[in-house]
Each structure stands twice: as structure tokens, then as C-alpha cells.
């Protein structure tokens, strides 16, 4: 158990809909990362937050947005969903913004299926 | 461009055999390199970290090497077990000058068979 909690574990929705994925980082971790992993693909970095502030942005679509709340949990919002958005979405946390050894602790992922 | 390339893309071996996975990177400035293991449908878990001054590090049956001059790392798995079947991902962290960013390889899919 990494200590990172993601909900929901599975989600099935239709094209055009909007969903919210939630992540609670490990206790004490200030940094939260979101990754997308499509079938048989590598992990694609979406966005990072550190202590409530956006820290780095990757290949995140304009239809996607995220935020980190004062209690450090984070939400990833996906809107106007398309079939190609079907993927595993992972949240990871780390103690620091980027320095140090920077080990990431990953949650178990949220599997999104868009029909 | 900062890149991390892994080979082979996939590998099938018999239980009990050894194997070596490769990671070549062009990331600069280099801070550290981690190997993660990702079981199917699960989140990746760190196996080992290599910093600039380290050549070899072991974690049980896993041994990682780093050649900072040639920018290559390898992960050697000894006496493979069925539970080693997973994707192994090489992740390189840039140094401060590179914003401490992470660059992920696409992984090597290992399958261990009886």
C-alpha cells in the first residue's frame, strides 16, 4: 500500500460527459502528480501541483483541468469526454516539489471507460 | 531533447532464468535514475534509485547499474519468478538546471513463463 488513495477505481461514462477523479496523497506529501496511461502505452505526465499551486504542466488537454485543495487532496476534471480518453489515470505524490531523490508514490489508478 | 529509451520493448523468459533490461537516456542535467516495477493494472513501485556517483545497486534479485559517461543503465533480474512479470519503467530526473523534471521511458514488458 503506497498510502496514495484514488477514487473511483472504475468509471464508465458516455462521450460528451464530464467526470472528476480524486486523489489523496500520502500523509505529509505536498506534491501531487497526475498521469494518463492508455492501453499498452507508457505513462504520460499531465500536471503537477505543489502545496496548492500548479508546478508543472505536461500534455494536458484543454478539456482537462485539475486543482489541489488546502487539505492537499487533488481532483482531475475531464470534460467533453471522447472515446480516446479511455485510460488509466494515476495520481502520484512526493514530499518535495522536485528536489531530493524525488521518489513518487503511485495510487492504484482510476480506470476510465468512455463508451 | 530529453529522452529515455528502453529496450527491449517486451521480453519473455522461462522461470528461473536471468534477464537484463536496458535504459539509455539523453537527459541533461542528470540528477538520478529510478527503476519502477508496474504490475498490470497497478501503480508503479520504485525498485531502486541510481545517482551520479553510483555504479551498482542491488535490491534482492534486482541489480541496477549506471554508466553516467555513456548515459546507460541496466536492470538485471536474477532467478526470475512468475511474480516478476510486469512492466519495468526507467525514469530519469533532471537536475536543478532542468527544473527537476521527470522523464519516463515507455517501459519493458517482461513475461516470465513456466
Amino acid at each position: 500500500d503506497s498510502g496514495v488513495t484514488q477514487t473511483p477505481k472504475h468509471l464508465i461514462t458516455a462521450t460528451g460527459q464530464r467526470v472528476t477523479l480524486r486523489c489523496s496523497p500520502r500523509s505529509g506529501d505536498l506534491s501531487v502528480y497526475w498521469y494518463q496511461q492508455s492501453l499498452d502505452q507508457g505513462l504520460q505526465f499531465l500536471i503537477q501541483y505543489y502545496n496548492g499551486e500548479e508546478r508543472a504542466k505536461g500534455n494536458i488537454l484543454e478539456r482537462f483541468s485539475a486543482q489541489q485543495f488546502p487539505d492537499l487532496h487533488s481532483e482531475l476534471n475531464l470534460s467533453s469526454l471522447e472515446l480516446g480518453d479511455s485510460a488509466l489515470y494515476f495520481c502520484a505524490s512526493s514530499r518535495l516539489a522536485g528536489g531530493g531523490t524525488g521518489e513518487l508514490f503511485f495510487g492504484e489508478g482510476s480506470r476510465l471507460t468512455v463508451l | 531533447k530529453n529522452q529515455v529509451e528502453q529496450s527491449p520493448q517486451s521480453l519473455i523468459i522461462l522461470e528461473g532464468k536471468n534477464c537484463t533490461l536496458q535504459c539509455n537516456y539523453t537527459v541533461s542535467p542528470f540528477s538520478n535514475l529510478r527503476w519502477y516495477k508496474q504490475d498490470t493494472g497497478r501503480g508503479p513501485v520504485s525498485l531502486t534509485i541510481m545517482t551520479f556517483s553510483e555504479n551498482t545497486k542491488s535490491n534482492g534479485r534486482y541489480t541496477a547499474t549506471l554508466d553516467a559517461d555513456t548515459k546507460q543503465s541496466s536492470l538485471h533480474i536474477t532467478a526470475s519468478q512468475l511474480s516478476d512479470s510486469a512492466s519495468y519503467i526507467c525514469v530519469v530526473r533532471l537536475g536543478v538546471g532542468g527544473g527537476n523534471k521527470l522523464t519516463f521511458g515507455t517501459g519493458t514488458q517482461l513475461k516470465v513463463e513456466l
Side-chain angles (χ1 to χ4, degrees), chain B residues 51 57 59-60 63 67 70 73 78 88 90-93 97 99:
Chain B
T51 57
K57 185 178 285 186
N59 176 6
T63 298
D67 186 333
T70 62
S73 177
T78 304
Y88 292 83
C90 176
V91 182
V92 181
R93 180 177 289 276

Side-chain angles (χ1 to χ4, degrees), chain B residues 78-100:
Chain B
T78 304
S80 62
Q81 299 176 359
L82 296 178
S83 59
D84 293 329
S85 296
S87 178
Y88 292 83
I89 305 168
C90 176
V91 182
V92 181
R93 180 177 289 276
L94 278 75
V96 173
N100 298 115

Side-chain angles (χ1 to χ4, degrees), chain A residues 24-82:
Chain A
S24 294
R26 286 190 327 157
S27 177
D29 283 0
L30 299 177
S31 214
V32 170
Y33 304 73
W34 286 99
Y35 292 88
Q36 179 192 55
Q37 188 173 40
S38 302
L39 189 62
D40 295 331
Q41 298 293 312
L43 288 159
Q44 297 296 319
F45 170 63
L46 296 178
I47 197 164
Q48 178 200 357
Y49 281 84
Y50 175 74
N51 204 21
E53 302 280 332
E54 183 182 304
R55 179 79 176 191
K57 217 168 193 177
N59 301 319
I60 188 166
L61 299 172
E62 286 191 8
R63 300 183 286 109
F64 296 179
S65 66
Q67 55 183 326
Q68 186 179 28
F69 295 86
D71 67 352
L72 301 177
H73 91 271
S74 178
E75 293 181 356
L76 178 66
N77 300 297
L78 315 175
S79 62
S80 302
L81 285 169
E82 302 175 359

Side-chain angles (χ1 to χ4, degrees), chain A residues 37 90 98 102-104 108, chain B residues 34 36 38 42 46 93 100:
Chain A
Q37 188 173 40
F90 286 104
E103 180 175 359
L104 296 185
E108 292 300 298
Chain B
R34 279 188 188 273
Y36 285 84
Q38 184 180 20
R42 309 290 297 273
S46 178
R93 180 177 289 276
N100 298 115

Side-chain angles (χ1 to χ4, degrees), chain A residues 13-20 36 61-65 76-86 89 112-115:
Chain A
T13 189
T15 54
Q17 295 299 304
R18 173 191 171 93
V19 299
T20 297
Q36 179 192 55
L61 299 172
E62 286 191 8
R63 300 183 286 109
F64 296 179
S65 66
L76 178 66
N77 300 297
L78 315 175
S79 62
S80 302
L81 285 169
E82 302 175 359
L83 295 178
D85 297 328
S86 296
Y89 290 85
L112 173 66
T113 302
V114 182
L115 299 176

Side-chain angles (χ1 to χ4, degrees), chain B residues 4-87:
Chain B
V4 175
E5 294 184 354
Q6 293 188 240
S7 62
Q9 192 170 14
S10 62
L11 183 62
I12 300 174
I13 62 174
L14 294 176
E15 187 180 31
K17 298 297 186 183
N18 304 335
C19 67
T20 300
L21 315 179
Q22 298 289 345
C23 174
N24 296 339
Y25 61 93
T26 59
V27 167
S28 181
F30 175 86
S31 176
N32 61 59
L33 181 151
R34 279 188 188 273
W35 285 93
Y36 285 84
K37 178 187 179 188
Q38 184 180 20
D39 292 318
T40 301
R42 309 290 297 273
V45 176
S46 178
L47 290 174
T48 185
I49 178 174
M50 305 295 290
T51 57
F52 189 85
S53 59
E54 295 173 310
N55 297 120
T56 303
K57 185 178 285 186
S58 291
N59 176 6
R61 295 181 296 102
Y62 300 103
T63 298
T65 66
L66 176 67
D67 186 333
D69 291 330
T70 62
K71 297 187 176 181
Q72 296 180 326
S73 177
S74 67
L75 182 69
H76 186 75
I77 304 175
T78 304
S80 62
Q81 299 176 359
L82 296 178
S83 59
D84 293 329
S85 296
S87 178

